[in-house]
Amino acid sequence: MNAPEKFLTGTAAPATGSSHAHESARAQVAGAATYVDDIPEVKGTLHAAPILSKVARGRLLGVDASAALQMEGVKGVVLAGDIPGDRILATFTHDEPVFALDTVEFVGQVVGVVVADTVMQARRAARKVKLQIEPLPAILDVREAVQAQSFVLPPVTARRGEPEQGIARAPHRLSGSLDVGGQEHFYLEGQVGYALPLEQDNWWIYSSTQHPGEVQHWVAHALGLENHAVKVECRRMGGGFGGKETQAGHIAVWAALAARKFRKPVKLRLDRDDDFLVTGKRHPFAYDYEVGFDDDGLVTGLKLMLAANCGWSADLSGPVADRAVFHADNAYFLGDVEIVSYRCKTNVQSHTAFRGFGGPQGMIVVEAILSDIARALGKDPLDVRKANLYGIEDRNVTHYQMPVEDNILHPLIARLEQDARYRERRDEIARWNAGNPVIKRGIAITPVKFGISFTATFFNQAGALVHVYTDGSVQVNHGGTEMGQGLHTKVCQLVADELGVPFEKVRISATDTSKVPNASATAASSGTDLNGRAAQFAARQVRQRLAQYVAEKQNCRPEQVIFAHGLVSGPDAAIPFAQLVDDAYHSRVQLWSDGFYRTPKIHYDKNTLTGRPFYYFAYGAACSEVAIDTLTGESRVLKVDILHDVGTSINPAIDIGQIEGGFIQGMGWLTTEQLVWNDRGELATHAPSTYKIPATGDVPAHFNVQLWPEANREDNVGGSKAVGEPPFMLAISVWEALRDAAAAARADGRVQMDAPATAENVLKAIRG
Amino acid sequence: MESKTIRFVRRGELVSLTNVPPDRTLLELLREDLSCTGTKEGCGEGDCGACTVVVAEPEDGALKYRAINSCIRLAHSIDGMALWTVEDLAGEDGSLHPAQEAMVQCHGSQCGFCTPGFAMSLFGMYQNHVCQGETVTRELAQEELSGNLCRCTGYRPILDAAQQMANLPRVQVDEGEILRQLEALRVRREQVASLGTYLDPRTLPELLALRAANPQAQIVAGCTDVGLWVTKMHMQFPQVLDVTRVAELKRVEQYEHHIAIGAAVTLTDAFDALVRERPQLKTFANRFAGLPVRNSGTLGGNVANGSPIGDSMPLLIALGAHVVLLSQRGHRDLPLEQFYTGYRKNVLAADEVVGWIKVPRPKSPHPGPLPQAGEGASGSTPSPRLRGEGGGEGEFLRAYKISKRYDDDISAVCLVVAMRIEDGAVAQVGIGAGGVAPTPARAVQTEALLRGRPWTLEAAQAAAASLRSEFRPISDMRASSAYRSEVLGNLMQRLWLESQGFEQINLESFRLAEATAP
């Protein structure tokens, strides 16, 4: 269709596939992007602060708030007795009291909140509330929990073939254990909720949440109301990373209960230290393994125990531990295998979703096992990894019975190996290590194969609304939330292209349970796959109505009407989109629509952990080089090359941002980010002064990211692949490179190193 | 008691605020009193940088810009300054400042919550470097942004933005006008007596009189630790005595044998002075907290605070620094290590303040720069010679810091050794240690063991063993006691190797390009 040139007023290129800046970028850099705590407060707003248990486990005998109530500005306290609805949160397992009832189960458990005129008054007063607690023995160690069979959910076993025989008849065997620490999300914006009572017992909740629908459900449940009484809104989060999937709900419920008691708007913004103490983190894991392998390092049998430290309640630990089992193969065919997964109850924070959602904890152990095998055989770990990769024609079914149909790892790893000069550098490094008495270098390539879809199949659905206004401007709303990942930007790009209008014509509005209901959490990397498609479908319906309208005018078929460059073109004429829309409005054409999408093909049985839980896999590989100081255990990441698969990129800049950001966050998990609980169960690293996420100086001098040039083989939105979580696990290459360097420092070439690889753990690995 | 009016210049206008409590933070003032919510609170303890703003004061006739953490800075402390927040950078027409535009172009914001702080640190760099015609290198960007945390981007695009700013059309601050406004404020301030709840004397006699008259007032300087007492420990101060306006204490004075750093000199300026005399301390200086903390915090504050894990004291002890305490009764001058009597306890009397820190100058009047590790000898081949400045006559100085994170972290162990070797023997030695005792400490036994002894491998090994037995460090979240002890000795081993000319054995100076060169 050749449009007359004078009508070419829109952007020349389609919006998708180009690196549009984040839809809020200009507001963010100007301080004009609004987060929950920035919303102008309604007159009379009160502030709440939590009252925290200082005991890891005990009987709660009494709460004495008398001193707090005497303090300036204090309005009162809100305790379990003030809850009009269910005193237990509406979680799937129904095992978490809203406020502690007769027991406390970790240091930091919220017993109630103090409400005052100002934040600082509330916080000061909360510390003056005296809790009478009779201490009981607590379980703080995950292996102790396994011993004591202290579980939040029953153990699950995934098994295929005869691993015992596979190990017994193998020419070589290894056994070992490993401990991998958790991770604090450290979203820059702490948890915050703002609850406003409306008329007729309706509620408006502003929440920094990845799951407004769940916040709505929890608040209604605690207030004893139906869901339609509660509207939850989230324009954006200052970071989520999984930490605001369920955890935001608690804050909103506490704020709403306080608002109900005092009949005033109440805001609850956690102080950073309280945020660390109250909210769950990435699950720490402990592992034991026994593996049999042949002379090439091919695994012939594996028995693996994964113990997830879930903390005091189930929260999302079931699906997190499931995903760890699903990803304990990472990219490798395991053959005869048994994986036992324990979901351990300990008296610490209730660990929760965190980017990768158990996937990283599953993958790291198999990567450790393969490089241990390589060192035992005197082989390059990359050769052992390649030997064990899933095959294309055979050896291509996972231990949960899903065929791997879209495997691109063989060519992807081969290209990275070549581009990063892996073999030459390995030789250079060996020469260096032979010559330097103090600094040892190490290198590793590790792959990622990450399953995309919520394992809870029913979550894989999404809805959207597209409104076209009479001036041709477009507003989109969908159930997904923006936490920095660029979801809203990508959705706007997709809608712009569907309607053939410039990106700037499309705006997004805040995620709102009163617009799109029953939306799933924005999680599992699925935001764009689900919501992008739903928005695309909504826009498509508007487009089809407009096409029908044009077809009638121009006497053609609707399929002949083209939407591009801000123009709508039929055989007779090309009309600017805005003009067409105005005409159509006057002809009473519906200019808005909903859209709905559900992921095809997926199913799985959560009792046997078998089926096709994932629509497709996202792939990638990273080559990392590090140096360690054998006198102190300090380390630096020197060089990183990444080749990652995002399918056909909807927005390369955003995708690369996710890859780089995920990688650095993963690097933090495995290097500097150490959570330390003392023997009383108190989290000793509860602020950025003691808990160290990567800073600018940790970015490797050489940090190269390339995208794999192939569309998703499954029919996914725009041919793209999900990108939120998979790159996180590329950072396992850093940890493996550190182990490689530590091995070079040891006469026996063996390495026992727990994660994170702090200077102390590296030194222990070298000298231990 | 009345609290006096705070006046500062913002957006070219004078802002006056009355009845601000003495312990109100600048961030509270901005977000709650002025409803300027562009500046964010990320941690409330000066560790994440989301709350970064820029202040400027006249210095030598020009504006001196400093990015600072508003969350732990007391609001009254910016009285008489010019202030920029993230809302103040864009032009009247909404056009973004280069610091902002570069962030957009380089995709430097994702969730956007750290972004205002980065934009302000970039604005500080823009004023201090780009507008001075200096290139912003990747290294400079990493150094100056190390106090700003981002959890989304992995920093690469932000570091790109720092370098991209200079390529965009230049935007100038009207410095002349701001200087005029600040001068008018200064004149007005001189007429206000130091009374009330926030005392900020201008002269030393005033300070000492106020100190004697108000022993209960909380002394503050940069507030980078006291600020946390407010935000985290919820302490309230009815009266505050701010030492940072005392002209005599804001100077670095050069004498023949020492430099005297006033207690109110910022850590940035104090380290600049120390690095001028001893260039090898540059990396150590850059690793002390992040730039916004160094821009607020003072060397005197770090010393007076006396944290056993503060990094300046081991250095000052190793160099043989003295602290001068002042009161209306007179002054006392004592070796720094004698200032401390226990965990965060010191000898200061109720009417005394820390006045100066006297740091001996290197013996050699014109010390040649110590070859940086990584320069000179290629690879790791040792050239068996002693590395001392001034051809072996000067001081051999090494400052080692072990922490979980390279930048902006607190030391698990800090060890600083300053030695002078004459005729192959240790003529003089100072060893300061942090993180291994309840106070910053001098390794007295190890110094005694080394003094006068030939500097040999055996001597270094004996010193390592001595260091391990001299201190009984605790285990905490930063490191175990065993690790701290082991590393203390191992650092002595590193010192030995470095004294023998070994290169590329310290990750601080390790560069891969050199390492991989044929």
Side-chain angles (χ1 to χ4, degrees):
Chain A
M1 177 67 217
N2 296 315
E5 229 170 33
K6 61 178 178 174
F7 287 122
L8 277 177
T9 52
T11 49
T16 53
S18 66
S19 290
H20 274 281
H22 192 286
E23 48 85 20
S24 292
R26 300 185 82 77
Q28 287 166 339
V29 300
T34 305
Y35 301 80
V36 171
D37 194 39
D38 304 335
I39 295 167
E41 285 168 14
V42 170
K43 197 172 176 186
T45 292
L46 302 174
H47 297 265
I51 304 161
L52 307 183
S53 168
K54 290 191 172 70
V55 176
R57 184 164 167 260
R59 259 186 282 280
L60 178 60
L61 303 175
V63 178
D64 175 7
S66 53
L69 293 172
Q70 301 301 312
M71 294 171 71
E72 185 191 355
V74 172
K75 298 295 181 217
V77 296
V78 185
L79 302 169
D82 295 307
I83 301 171
D86 190 351
R87 293 181 186 189
I88 309 295
L89 279 174
T91 63
F92 288 111
T93 40
H94 208 249
D95 64 345
E96 279 190 54
V98 172
F99 292 127
L101 298 170
D102 48 359
T103 58
V104 291
E105 303 222 49
F106 73 102
V107 176
Q109 184 168 2
V110 175
V111 174
V113 296
V114 172
V115 179
D117 287 329
T118 72
V119 185
M120 289 308 284
Q121 286 169 345
R123 288 180 184 171
R124 267 185 221 114
R127 294 208 189 160
K128 298 291 183 198
V129 176
K130 293 192 191 75
L131 301 180
Q132 195 191 348
I133 297 172
E134 178 192 332
L136 296 168
I139 293 180
L140 301 171
D141 178 73
V142 67
R143 289 184 188 272
E144 189 189 333
V146 175
Q147 285 291 313
Q149 301 205 6
S150 168
F151 300 133
V152 292
L153 291 165
V156 173
T157 298
R159 188 181 164 94
R160 176 170 67 184
E162 296 299 331
E164 294 79 7
Q165 290 175 24
I167 294 168
R169 65 164 186 264
H172 309 281
R173 280 179 288 281
L174 270 180
S175 61
S177 59
L178 174 67
D179 280 19
V180 171
Q183 186 177 26
E184 160 63 33
H185 302 84
F186 206 81
Y187 25 66
L188 261 289
E189 177 208 33
Q191 301 275 0
V192 57
Y194 185 21
L196 295 104
L198 306 177
E199 62 166 56
Q200 301 181 61
D201 218 1
N202 285 334
W203 291 79
W204 190 329
I205 312 286
Y206 292 101
S207 172
S208 179
T209 175
Q210 293 172 241
H211 199 171
E214 185 165 71
V215 174
Q216 174 196 27
H217 177 49
W218 285 15
V219 168
H221 188 81
L223 294 180
L225 300 170
E226 292 182 281
N227 284 345
H228 66 191
V230 180
K231 162 196 164 84
V232 176
E233 183 179 320
C234 176
R235 174 60 180 89
R236 64 174 61 79
M237 283 162 273
F241 316 111
K244 293 172 181 170
E245 186 170 345
T246 57
Q247 306 296 294
H250 302 74
I251 280 76
V253 167
W254 297 329
L257 289 168
R260 184 186 178 277
K261 177 164 180 174
F262 296 100
R263 303 285 166 191
K264 295 273 189 191
V266 171
K267 192 195 284 184
L268 174 51
R269 167 168 64 87
L270 287 185
D271 172 71
R272 179 61 66 178
D273 293 64
D274 288 348
D275 199 315
F276 267 79
L277 291 177
V278 170
T279 65
K281 315 187 187 308
R282 179 184 298 285
H283 292 66
F285 268 58
Y287 314 84
D288 293 325
Y289 72 86
E290 194 182 356
V291 62
F293 50 98
D294 68 11
D295 294 342
D296 296 325
L298 199 70
V299 173
T300 58
L302 173 65
K303 291 190 73 164
L304 179 61
M305 185 282 291
L306 312 177
N309 183 341
C310 302
W312 70 286
S313 73
D315 186 73
L316 296 168
S317 294
V320 167
D322 286 355
R323 194 172 268 270
V325 173
F326 288 136
H327 286 86
D329 61 345
N330 190 12
Y332 312 108
F333 179 73
L334 295 178
D336 295 287
V337 58
E338 182 185 88
I339 302 170
V340 181
S341 164
Y342 295 112
R343 292 97 202 272
C344 300
K345 175 170 177 170
T346 60
N347 295 106
V348 299
Q349 292 78 359
S350 183
H351 295 314
T352 190
F354 195 145
R355 202 175 198 168
F357 202 74
Q361 295 99 315
M363 289 181 193
I364 191 170
V365 66
V366 72
E367 294 298 342
I369 290 169
L370 291 182
S371 67
D372 285 350
I373 289 174
R375 280 186 282 274
L377 293 172
K379 289 181 171 298
D380 188 319
L382 181 59
D383 292 328
V384 172
R385 294 187 210 285
K386 286 164 92 171
N388 282 285
L389 284 178
Y390 276 107
I392 306 299
E393 300 297 333
D394 59 351
R395 293 169 49 84
N396 63 352
V397 177
T398 66
H399 54 293
Y400 47 92
Q401 309 303 331
M402 176 172 169
V404 182
E405 295 168 344
D406 55 5
N407 186 354
I408 56 171
L409 278 171
H410 298 266
L412 189 147
I413 292 173
R415 190 180 129 188
L416 178 68
E417 183 182 342
Q418 191 168 14
D419 291 355
R421 295 177 49 251
Y422 174 80
R423 302 286 169 177
E424 296 97 304
R425 284 165 65 196
R426 164 109 12 237
D427 291 343
E428 287 166 15
I429 288 167
R431 281 197 297 278
W432 169 275
N433 287 342
N436 192 298
V438 176
I439 304 293
K440 302 294 179 190
R441 285 157 58 193
I443 189 169
I445 287 182
T446 61
V448 166
K449 164 186 132 288
F450 191 78
I452 302 301
S453 292
F454 286 98
T455 52
T457 304
F458 67 91
F459 278 142
N460 295 287
Q461 58 174 308
L465 293 172
V466 168
H467 297 178
V468 178
Y469 296 100
T470 52
D471 62 353
S473 63
V474 182
Q475 193 193 63
V476 192
N477 187 274
H478 60 86
T481 54
E482 176 66 36
M483 61 196 100
Q485 82 279 42
L487 169 62
H488 285 349
T489 311
K490 286 182 173 178
V491 168
C492 288
Q493 287 177 275
L494 289 162
V495 168
D497 278 0
E498 197 64 33
L499 297 175
V501 298
F503 177 81
E504 293 71 25
K505 289 287 174 198
V506 184
R507 280 211 179 172
I508 203 106
S509 61
T511 313
D512 183 338
T513 57
S514 69
K515 284 198 161 186
V516 173
N518 311 324
S520 298
T522 306
S525 307
S526 66
T528 304
D529 288 10
L530 299 175
N531 298 289
R533 258 280 153 88
Q536 201 178 39
F537 288 175
R540 190 164 297 169
Q541 296 201 48
V542 175
R543 190 187 71 185
Q544 282 168 351
R545 289 189 202 117
L546 290 171
Q548 183 67 40
Y549 173 73
V550 171
E552 284 166 16
K553 292 261 179 197
Q554 299 197 17
N555 205 14
C556 66
R557 284 177 289 115
E559 305 83 71
Q560 289 176 280
V561 181
I562 306 295
F563 291 71
H565 310 308
L567 297 173
V568 182
S569 315
D572 298 344
I575 311 156
F577 182 79
Q579 186 189 321
L580 172 71
V581 161
D582 194 54
D583 292 349
Y585 166 76
H586 286 98
S587 299
R588 295 184 292 172
V589 174
Q590 184 183 343
L591 293 176
W592 57 274
S593 179
D594 63 329
F596 182 77
Y597 175 71
R598 59 180 178 166
T599 312
K601 293 190 179 181
I602 50 176
H603 61 89
Y604 109 95
D605 180 338
K606 72 174 183 181
N607 297 313
T608 59
L609 292 190
T610 55
R612 178 183 178 141
F614 308 120
Y615 185 37
Y616 62 88
F617 293 102
Y619 297 93
C623 179
S624 293
E625 182 178 339
V626 304
I628 61 173
D629 179 331
T630 57
L631 293 173
T632 61
E634 294 164 286
S635 68
R636 304 295 286 156
V637 179
L638 305 172
K639 259 183 118 164
V640 174
D641 293 276
I642 290 172
L643 182 54
H644 193 77
D645 161 35
V646 299
T648 301
S649 178
I650 293 171
N651 186 319
I654 284 176
D655 287 343
I656 289 170
Q658 288 296 297
I659 295 166
E660 291 173 334
F663 180 88
I664 295 293
Q665 196 175 59
M667 184 183 87
W669 170 49
L670 295 172
T671 55
T672 56
E673 295 184 40
Q674 187 177 35
L675 291 165
V676 180
W677 284 270
N678 66 20
D679 54 10
R680 292 184 300 280
E682 297 160 348
L683 181 62
T685 49
H686 51 74
S689 52
T690 46
Y691 183 79
K692 310 311 284 190
I693 71 167
T696 50
D698 297 306
V699 182
H702 173 98
F703 191 17
N704 176 36
V705 176
Q706 300 292 327
L707 302 180
W708 179 254
E710 185 188 332
N712 193 334
R713 295 185 190 174
E714 294 292 344
D715 175 23
N716 199 51
V717 63
S720 69
K721 284 194 178 185
V723 68
E725 293 165 291
F728 181 91
M729 286 148 278
L730 295 170
I732 294 172
S733 60
V734 169
W735 187 70
E736 278 293 307
L738 288 164
R739 287 177 14 111
D740 188 56
R746 290 178 64 98
D748 62 3
R750 301 290 173 90
V751 185
Q752 170 64 45
M753 186 168 83
D754 291 331
T758 57
E760 180 162 1
N761 276 344
V762 171
L763 194 64
K764 208 185 288 174
I766 297 167
R767 308 243 165 151
Chain B
M1 270 185 290
E2 283 290 303
S3 145
K4 68 171 182 289
T5 304
I6 303 177
R7 293 188 181 86
F8 56 92
V9 174
R10 186 177 179 217
R11 298 176 190 167
E13 287 170 15
L14 180 69
V15 180
S16 293
L17 296 159
T18 51
N19 297 320
V20 178
D23 52 5
R24 192 145 183 86
T25 66
L26 178 54
L27 183 64
E28 288 173 318
L29 184 92
L30 289 170
R31 289 185 61 87
E32 296 177 15
D33 301 343
L34 300 179
S35 298
C36 293
T37 54
T39 309
K40 309 302 181 198
E41 179 180 290
C43 67
E45 60 175 34
D47 269 301
C48 79
C51 66
T52 306
V53 299
V54 169
V55 293
E57 288 176 278
E59 251 180 53
D60 305 325
L63 281 180
K64 169 97 175 181
Y65 298 86
R66 291 188 180 92
I68 60 163
N69 295 120
S70 64
C71 70
I72 47 172
R73 181 85 173 222
L74 297 183
H76 278 274
S77 74
I78 67 153
D79 186 31
M81 297 185 184
L83 171 74
W84 287 262
T85 74
V86 70
E87 291 104 332
D88 307 334
L89 300 188
E92 298 271 312
D93 59 352
S95 59
L96 296 178
H97 186 275
Q100 299 170 312
E101 182 62 37
M103 283 285 279
V104 174
Q105 289 182 9
C106 298
H107 304 276
S109 70
Q110 287 187 20
C111 86
F113 203 80
C114 70
T115 308
F118 271 102
M120 295 316 293
S121 284
L122 289 173
F123 172 66
M125 289 172 72
Y126 191 82
Q127 294 304 124
N128 287 331
H129 300 289
V130 177
C131 291
Q132 308 304 316
E134 295 169 23
T135 306
V136 176
T137 61
R138 172 62 56 115
E139 197 176 16
L140 178 76
Q142 285 187 321
E143 282 169 18
E144 297 217 347
L145 296 173
S146 70
N148 290 87
L149 296 179
C150 168
R151 192 55 153 167
C152 295
T153 63
Y155 301 106
R156 192 273 309 161
I158 299 173
L159 296 170
D160 284 355
Q163 296 185 270
Q164 171 69 7
M165 292 190 295
N167 302 329
L168 300 171
R170 188 69 52 88
V171 170
Q172 300 278 9
V173 167
D174 186 351
E175 296 204 358
E177 175 58 22
I178 293 173
L179 284 166
R180 274 189 295 279
Q181 289 172 315
L182 294 182
E183 175 59 18
L185 271 188
R186 190 188 66 77
V187 171
R188 194 163 166 180
R189 283 160 49 89
E190 294 306 320
Q191 299 155 358
V192 181
S194 277
L195 287 173
T197 57
Y198 196 91
L199 309 170
D200 55 350
R202 304 304 137 102
T203 66
L204 194 51
E206 248 180 69
L207 167 65
L208 299 181
L210 285 168
R211 181 63 179 147
N214 304 281
Q216 80 297 337
Q218 174 61 48
I219 293 195
V220 303
C223 232
T224 53
D225 197 52
V226 175
L228 275 73
W229 305 357
V230 174
T231 60
K232 297 297 173 176
M233 296 161 75
H234 303 161
M235 288 170 69
Q236 292 176 285
F237 306 129
Q239 194 176 34
V240 165
L241 176 55
D242 178 344
V243 303
T244 60
R245 305 306 173 101
V246 177
E248 295 92 325
L249 300 187
K250 291 179 74 173
R251 292 197 289 262
V252 177
E253 288 169 1
Q254 312 281 333
Y255 298 92
E256 188 183 352
H257 296 295
H258 71 271
I259 60 171
I261 301 174
V265 173
T266 65
L267 286 158
T268 305
D269 293 346
F271 275 118
D272 278 353
L274 291 170
V275 168
R276 263 197 298 281
E277 307 245 314
R278 295 175 168 90
Q280 67 268 45
L281 292 175
K282 184 168 188 300
T283 303
F284 186 74
N286 284 335
R287 291 184 64 187
F288 187 109
L291 184 64
V293 165
R294 295 197 298 272
N295 276 345
S296 265
T298 61
L299 188 65
N302 201 236
V303 163
N305 197 27
S307 164
I309 46 177
D311 279 340
S312 67
M313 286 78 82
L315 171 66
L316 295 171
I317 288 171
L319 295 177
H322 281 228
V323 58
V324 180
L325 311 182
L326 307 170
S327 72
Q328 286 184 312
R329 295 174 288 120
H331 79 274
R332 297 195 277 167
D333 180 324
L334 58 162
L336 181 55
E337 62 273 19
Q338 290 176 21
F339 178 66
Y340 303 109
T341 56
Y343 177 70
R344 288 191 176 235
K345 286 191 181 136
N346 58 46
V347 301
L348 267 185
D351 62 345
E352 259 179 334
V353 296
V354 174
W356 288 278
I357 292 110
K358 288 162 58 181
V359 185
R361 308 184 72 167
K363 289 283 181 233
S364 209
H366 299 291
L370 186 83
Q372 296 287 304
E375 288 175 12
S378 63
S380 63
T381 317
S383 50
R385 64 201 151 83
L386 190 75
R387 275 280 158 80
E389 289 98 328
E393 294 299 311
E395 153 190 274
F396 181 69
L397 171 66
R398 282 293 184 273
Y400 298 134
K401 170 171 179 162
I402 308 297
S403 52
K404 281 186 191 161
R405 188 172 68 197
Y406 183 76
D407 281 314
D408 195 6
D409 197 358
I410 290 163
S411 296
V413 175
C414 179
L415 183 71
V416 184
V417 181
M419 282 201 301
R420 200 152 52 83
I421 308 288
E422 283 172 9
D423 302 326
V426 180
Q428 195 179 324
V429 60
I431 305 177
V436 295
T439 66
R442 177 181 289 283
V444 180
Q445 292 168 25
T446 307
E447 287 178 359
L449 177 142
L450 283 174
R451 205 166 284 127
R453 188 166 173 162
W455 180 236
T456 61
L457 176 61
E458 291 70 38
Q461 284 169 341
S466 167
L467 272 179
R468 288 185 182 125
S469 67
E470 188 164 358
F471 298 107
R472 291 271 171 273
I474 58 162
S475 290
D476 67 8
M477 78 299 271
R478 293 196 174 85
S480 70
S481 167
Y483 174 79
R484 286 178 156 126
S485 283
E486 181 176 1
V487 163
L488 262 184
N490 291 357
L491 289 173
M492 193 50 87
Q493 196 179 335
R494 184 196 275 173
L495 184 86
W496 163 256
L497 291 171
E498 290 188 336
S499 78
Q500 299 307 298
F502 275 87
E503 305 283 0
Q504 293 281 38
I505 61 163
N506 186 338
L507 289 178
E508 262 191 5
S509 52
F510 185 86
R511 295 290 178 272
L512 189 64
E514 294 170 43
T516 52

